[in-house]
Every structure is written in C-alpha cells, then in structure tokens.
C-alpha cells in the first residue's frame, strides 16, 4: 500500500509492504533472478555431453574470466573513489590541478591492451580449432580417434516445421528423432527445404545454419549417453516454437536396437512422400522410415525432388559449358545464357531495373494462382492461414498419388 511520510520535508511517496509480503520477497528474490535465464533450465551449455561443446564452453568461461579482470577492479575502484573522495571526507587530498600520472596511465591502458591481445589469440585459435567443417581428431581430451574409425553420417533437412534425419549408411530416416552411439564421430550434412534455419543441439556442439540449395557441415561427438534436446535456433514462421527434436546418446548395443526399431517400420521415404513432408505442418510426432530412396538428399540440396525439374548442379555444369538449350545440354545450342547483367543488344543490359521509365511497358501479373484451400490466403484474418495441423502417421501409409 502507499503511505505518505508525516514529515513535511518528504518529496514523494514510499511503498510500505506488509510484513508477510516483505519476508516473501526477501526469501524468493534470488530465485526470481533465475527466471531471467530463459532456455537454461538445466544449464546444459555449461555442462555439455560432447567434446566440441565442452571446448566451446571453456572458451566462453575463459573469455568471461578475462573480461572480469577489468570489470571487477573498475567496479571496486568506483566504490572506493566515491567513498574516499566524498564531500564529507575532509582528510582526502583535494588537487584541482591534477591532470596526469604516468603510472596511472600505464595501468589504465596496459591491462586492457594485454587482455584484448589474449582474447584475440584465443578467438583466432578456437575459430580454426572448432571450425564446424573441420573433422574432429579426438573423442575427448587425451583420447585421439583411432585410425580407421568411420564417422556416422547423418543428413539433416530443415522442413516447415520439423526435422528430417537420413542415415545413408543404414538406409533409414526419421522425423524429429536423432540417435547416435557414444564415442563415435558424427558428420552432419545439413540443408533446408524452404527458408533458412539453424540446427542446434546445445549438449553436442554449436549451432550452424541450414539453407535451401546449399549444404553446410558439422562434425561432433557424444561422450556420454543421455536424452538431449535439439532446437531450431532461427525464427522461421508460425511453427517455430514447436520445431524441436530429441537426440539420444546410446552405447553401440542400444543404438543397434534403435536402428532395428526403425527398420521394422513399414514406411518408405521416397520423393513423392518427401513432397508431402515438405508441406508446412506443426507439432509433428516422431516418424520412422525403414528405407529411403537412394540419392534423395542430393535431390533436396539441388532443388530437383519434383519430377521433371532440372537439378542445380546440372544447370551450373550446363552454364560452365557455355549455356544453350538446357534440355539438350549442348554448348551454344538454343537461346543465350540467362543473365540480365550480360550485354544483349550493344552495350546496354536488359535488366528492368536499368531501363528508363519510357522503356518499361505493362504486362499481366504472372504469379501462379494459389491452390484452393491452401495456407497463405491473402485475407489476413482467414482461418486457413493457421490450417497447419500435425501429420497423422497413418496419413503417411497412404499410396502417393502422381
């Protein structure tokens, strides 16, 4: 409640809490501070299960410690100076003409400079050592990888709004479930189907982006079994908050049993079924596929899953040969290469942005009509804009229509 002090010299109101509320605030205020740490319920970033994440944690702790070497003394010195040179302290030396101290300047500039040099060296070395594209050379500190050990390859596809994992070595695939044996290197090959995303397992390694038409890589290893959370660390639309998956770290026998359960599922992941999975869906349950169409991940990266679509790799190879008819793939045949910046008539490009206003004409709108009932209706308030329900596993057993 609010209460005005009886003194006439008071300039405002003060808050008077009842005794019980005041005791409650003093008792639980430290816990309230923990609520300011979203996403850190178990502080997995500071206690990871993979060697790469542990090294990243060490870099974080060392960096914070180095910065505290400046922050803490400055905070202490601020309090000491404020107390020593307060107006009521008549014993403090008053020197209004003070303007320079060599020792003070040396301390002020040398300490931060040394810390910046050390942080720069740490950042440079860790950036190269923990490069996600660099294959790891150890399982953990003091345990190098034995010669002949083959990493487990996992192909990762970020869909809307779910994760597809393909194990090419095992011939299986899963939705929103990932498993790996402990102390075996893992090579992730990562891409996206529609928009950019970020693949992140805090207990395993740092995040890395997934982009359509491109492939990124991540090398990591699990050092202990457990059940870990993986997330999409980049906002990508309506179903972003539920785009999560579980990663299971197992011993080799447990991993073999998990693979056997996946192989027991009757479903097969082919290009037709993948096109269904590409559709935006939210809160998708775990789905397993006993077999996977060969080369499916390559088609996803090259944007040619749909039959009759030219793969990006083929187009680039065609351009390197000199362009021409994309169907015949013969250099110089048919129309010239498509490139608005290349001179076509004389020295002037034909790009619309470079045309003069009087050179621009009008033409009908060529955008493809939306499918009836599809999400993304132009009316912002339409209920169909949120018609993105979770996939029913039974739906995936239906025959795929051409």
């Amino acid at each position: 409640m609010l209460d005005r002090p009886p003194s006439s010299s008071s300039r405002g109101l003060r808050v008077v809490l009842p005794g019980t509320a005041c005791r409650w605030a003093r008792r639980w205020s430290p816990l309230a501070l923990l609520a300011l740490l979203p996403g850190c319920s178990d502080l997995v970033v500071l206690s990871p299960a993979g060697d790469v994440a542990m090294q990243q944690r060490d870099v974080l702790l060392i960096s914070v410690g180095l910065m505290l070497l400046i922050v803490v003394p400055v905070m202490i010195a601020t309090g000491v100076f404020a107390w020593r040179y307060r107006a009521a302290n008549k014993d403090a030396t008053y020197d209004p003409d003070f303007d320079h101290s060599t020792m003070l300047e040396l301390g002020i500039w040398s300490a931060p400079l040394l810390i910046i040099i050390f942080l720069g060296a740490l950042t440079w070395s860790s950036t190269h050592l923990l490069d996600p594209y660099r294959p790891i050379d150890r399982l953990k500190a003091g345990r190098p990888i034995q010669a002949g050990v083959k990493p487990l390859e996992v192909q990762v596809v970020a869909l809307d709004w779910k994760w597809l994992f393909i194990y090419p070595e095992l011939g299986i695939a899963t939705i929103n479930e990932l498993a790996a044996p402990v102390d075996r290197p893992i090579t992730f090959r990562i891409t996206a189907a529609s928009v950019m995303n970020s693949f992140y397992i805090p207990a395993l390694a740092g995040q890395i982006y997934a982009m359509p038409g491109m492939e990124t890589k991540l090398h990591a290893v699990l050092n202990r079994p457990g059940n870990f959370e993986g997330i999409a660390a980049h906002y990508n639309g309506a179903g972003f908050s539920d785009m999560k998956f579980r990663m299971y770290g197992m011993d080799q026998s447990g991993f073999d049993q998990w693979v056997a359960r996946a192989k027991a599922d009757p479903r097969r992941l082919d290009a037709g079924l993948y096109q269904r999975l590409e559709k935006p869906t939210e809160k998708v349950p775990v789905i397993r596929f006993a077999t996977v169409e060969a080369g499916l991940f390559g088609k996803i990266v090259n944007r040619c899953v749909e039959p009759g679509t030219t793969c990006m790799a083929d187009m680039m190879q065609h351009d390197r040969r000199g362009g021409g008819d994309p169907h015949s793939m013969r250099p110089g045949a048919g129309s010239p290469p498509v490139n608005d910046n290349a001179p076509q008539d004389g020295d002037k490009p034909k790009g619309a942005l470079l045309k003069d206003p009087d050179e621009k004409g009008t033409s009908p709108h060529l955008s493809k009509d939306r499918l009836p009932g599809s999400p993304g209706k132009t009316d912002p308030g339409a209920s169909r804009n949120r018609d993105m329900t979770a996939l029913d596993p039974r739906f995936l057993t239906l025959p795929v229509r051409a």
Side-chain angles (χ1 to χ4, degrees):
M1 61 182 177
L2 298 177
D3 179 36
R4 184 180 299 277
S7 173
S8 59
S9 62
S10 175
R11 297 184 179 180
L13 299 177
R14 63 185 176 91
V15 179
V16 179
L17 295 175
T20 302
C22 189
R23 289 194 299 270
W24 184 91
R26 286 195 301 265
R27 178 177 301 175
W28 298 104
S29 57
L31 295 181
L33 296 177
L34 296 179
L36 301 178
L37 301 174
C40 298
S41 57
D42 55 353
L43 297 178
V44 65
V45 174
L46 298 180
S47 181
D51 182 64
V52 174
M54 290 180 183
Q55 295 180 71
Q56 293 173 335
R57 175 205 61 187
D58 294 341
V59 172
L60 173 65
L61 295 178
I62 293 173
S63 302
V64 172
L66 288 172
M67 289 183 283
L68 288 178
L69 291 178
I70 294 295
V71 174
V72 172
V74 168
M75 295 179 66
I76 295 174
T78 300
V80 171
F81 273 67
W83 175 257
R84 178 174 175 78
Y85 296 103
R86 68 192 187 279
N89 185 10
K90 303 302 181 181
D91 297 330
T93 302
Y94 177 67
D95 186 2
D97 297 324
F98 173 82
D99 63 353
H100 179 74
S101 170
T102 302
M103 295 302 296
L104 188 59
E105 292 286 344
L106 184 62
I108 289 175
W109 292 106
S110 62
L113 181 60
L114 291 174
I115 290 176
I116 290 173
I117 292 174
F118 196 94
L119 279 175
L122 177 67
T123 303
W124 184 88
S125 61
S126 61
T127 298
H128 290 276
L129 180 64
L130 301 176
D131 182 356
Y133 279 68
R134 177 179 180 269
I136 60 175
D137 54 7
R138 72 180 200 182
L139 299 177
K140 61 174 64 173
R143 287 189 59 190
I145 296 179
Q146 300 297 324
V149 174
K150 182 180 179 182
L152 174 67
E153 181 179 326
V154 181
Q155 298 167 345
V156 183
V157 183
L159 301 168
D160 295 332
W161 286 276
K162 49 199 170 288
W163 292 95
L164 169 64
F165 303 104
I166 302 174
Y167 293 76
E169 175 185 335
L170 305 172
I172 62 174
T174 59
I175 294 288
N176 287 342
E177 184 179 64
L178 177 65
V182 173
D183 290 338
R184 180 179 177 182
I186 311 171
T187 298
F188 294 101
R189 298 174 58 191
I190 306 167
T191 190
S194 59
V195 299
M196 185 170 70
N197 212 312
S198 183
F199 177 70
Y200 186 32
I201 306 174
L204 181 67
Q207 62 178 335
I208 185 167
Y209 280 104
M211 293 169 281
M214 300 179 65
E215 179 184 326
T216 54
K217 292 184 180 181
L218 176 66
H219 294 85
V221 63
L222 272 175
N223 298 127
R224 60 179 172 86
N227 182 347
F228 310 105
E229 184 180 50
I231 62 174
H234 187 88
Y235 180 74
N236 64 332
F240 158 76
S241 58
D242 293 306
M243 192 173 171
K244 302 177 181 178
F245 62 92
R246 307 305 303 181
M247 179 176 186
Y248 300 101
M250 311 171 177
D251 57 21
Q252 188 59 50
S253 62
F255 180 71
D256 292 339
Q257 295 175 13
W258 180 85
V259 173
R261 287 195 299 270
K263 287 184 175 293
D265 195 289
R267 283 169 292 210
R268 167 182 168 79
L269 179 60
D270 55 16
L273 188 52
Y274 171 80
Q275 289 179 271
R276 289 189 176 187
L277 290 173
E278 269 192 317
K279 296 179 180 179
T281 49
E282 299 181 29
K283 299 181 180 179
V284 180
V286 173
I287 305 173
R288 301 184 181 97
F289 302 93
T291 56
V292 181
E293 178 182 321
L296 179 60
F297 182 76
K299 293 179 181 178
I300 297 172
V301 175
N302 284 283
R303 314 289 290 170
C304 56
V305 176
E306 184 178 353
T309 305
T310 304
C311 293
M312 290 173 52
D314 295 334
M315 282 195 258
M316 289 186 286
Q317 184 179 7
H318 172 58
D319 290 341
R320 285 194 296 268
R321 291 177 176 177
D325 184 1
H327 299 289
S328 66
M329 293 296 178
R330 289 184 290 105
S335 59
V338 178
N339 183 359
D340 286 342
N341 293 325
Q344 304 289 339
D345 297 326
D347 295 329
K348 187 170 183 179
K350 286 212 169 184
L353 295 176
L354 301 177
K355 287 184 178 181
D356 296 329
D358 56 349
E359 294 180 304
K360 297 180 181 179
T362 59
S363 60
H365 196 279
L366 299 180
S367 296
K368 184 178 180 180
D369 295 334
R370 297 181 183 274
L371 296 176
S374 64
K377 183 175 167 58
T378 54
D379 179 11
S383 60
R384 282 196 294 268
N385 290 343
R386 291 289 299 185
D387 187 16
M388 302 173 184
T389 56
L391 284 177
D392 186 342
R394 293 172 296 178
F395 169 80
L396 300 177
T397 63
L398 298 176
V400 179
R401 292 179 296 179

